[in-house]
Amino acid sequence: MGLDLVIVGCGGHGREIAQVVAAVNAASNRPPWRLVGFVDDDPSERNRKRVESTGVPYLGTVATLGHLSPATHVVLGLGDPRIRRVVGTRVELFGLPAASLVHPDATVGPDLVSAEGLVVFAGGRITTGVTVGRHLHVNQNATLAHDCVVGDYVSLHPLAAVSGDCRLDTAALVGAGAVVLPGLRVGAGATVGAGACVVRDVSPGLVVKGVPAR
């Protein structure tokens, strides 16, 4: 008998997390996660059909969480860290525990200090001395190097590379294929565009792109 789990978000990111759940179940000796369904306040018809084609039902709006067993776990399947933060704040009001999921093809340092809700996708790498906040998402083949400190609701998109001794503040986003050089800070709510190379600190809320990023 496994633990019940609900994914918040019916988009592609949520369905990718469903694949992580399946991979974790297939590789683990522990009781499997039982994926009960998806919740989303306003899913498009296309996304609802895509979710239902996986064999996992759409349960209703986020308010549906209030009718579930208090032992039901949740995971935030929302790719945009700012949206994940807003929705996550609402989800926390229901008092349900947040699941952490690490794909069996990912690697996480044994000394990782992690808050709840961590999701590491296939090929993700977190090395040594790293401390991360709630609901960090490390997407496919993204890397987080030694001694980084990461805030809540941060996203590393596929192939992002964050070097050692960096700091990523709340709801920061490092885009696909972007690089953050050692010892730098990406401020709260800042976005590093896809393919950018960050060579200096990024101020909170700023969007930077290019090589060097500016």
Side-chain angles (χ1 to χ4, degrees), residues 69-91:
S69 162
T72 303
H73 288 66
V74 294
V75 62
L76 301 181
L78 303 159
D80 186 317
R82 291 159 295 189
I83 295 174
R84 191 158 71 247
R85 183 183 186 187
V86 171
V87 176
T89 300
R90 290 180 54 209
V91 168

Side-chain angles (χ1 to χ4, degrees), residues 76-213:
L76 301 181
L78 303 159
D80 186 317
R82 291 159 295 189
I83 295 174
R84 191 158 71 247
R85 183 183 186 187
V86 171
V87 176
T89 300
R90 290 180 54 209
V91 168
E92 287 175 359
L93 297 177
F94 296 101
L96 301 177
S100 291
L101 303 166
V102 177
H103 194 285
D105 291 334
T107 57
V108 171
D111 57 350
L112 172 69
V113 177
S114 173
E116 64 183 6
L118 170 68
V119 181
V120 185
F121 293 78
R125 305 283 181 250
I126 300 177
T127 66
T128 185
V130 176
T131 300
V132 305
R134 297 174 299 151
H135 305 292
L136 165 67
H137 287 194
V138 180
N139 280 270
Q140 292 91 343
N141 301 305
T143 57
L144 188 59
H146 65 87
D147 304 307
C148 287
V149 177
V150 179
D152 298 339
Y153 301 105
V154 169
S155 281
L156 306 185
H157 280 190
L159 294 170
V162 179
S163 303
D165 288 305
C166 288
R167 183 177 182 114
L168 308 178
D169 292 334
T170 301
L173 185 154
V174 182
V179 175
V180 181
L181 295 185
L184 297 179
R185 183 170 188 167
V186 179
T191 297
V192 177
C197 181
V198 175
V199 300
R200 59 180 64 87
D201 289 350
V202 179
S203 299
L206 197 64
V207 177
V208 297
K209 56 186 178 179
V211 180

